[in-house]
Amino acid sequence: MSVDAAPATVLVFSPRAEVRAAVQTALGRSPAPDVSPVTYVECATADEVVAAVDAGGIDLCVLDGEAQPTGGMGISRQLTHEVADCPALVVLIARQADRWLAHWSMADATLAYPIDPLAATDVVAGLLRERDAQRPAVRR
């Protein structure tokens, strides 16, 4: 992957602004030297997430599993079932015991909250690499 490629778009969902900010701070603008830089789309409601994903152009979603009234796990499961080219999905969990719920949600990965920046960049960079590898090469 060339780092001069178009930025990857990461959607960050949480009704709490501090959670959205923590995700963006942990990931930064470049999760790894070999992946595209990222731009962010912030969503505070489930409806905003669905609309943004339906509009296209989202490469990865980080979803707050503790959000109320609709949590990231439910949104993850919904997107997996309803979106043909679903972006990679990461669910934030507050308790390790919730990993089984994240598995039910069909998320590609989980991250513990509060967020460990090293773990977060490793997970997100890995998912972006996988997504890029699945896309057809563009000839110039």
Side-chain angles (χ1 to χ4, degrees), residues 6 11 72 76 104 107:
L11 180 148
S76 174
W104 167 87

Side-chain angles (χ1 to χ4, degrees), residues 85 131-139:
D85 187 23
R131 188 133 173 105
D132 286 343
Q134 294 172 1
R135 291 195 171 147
V138 177
R139 294 183 183 233

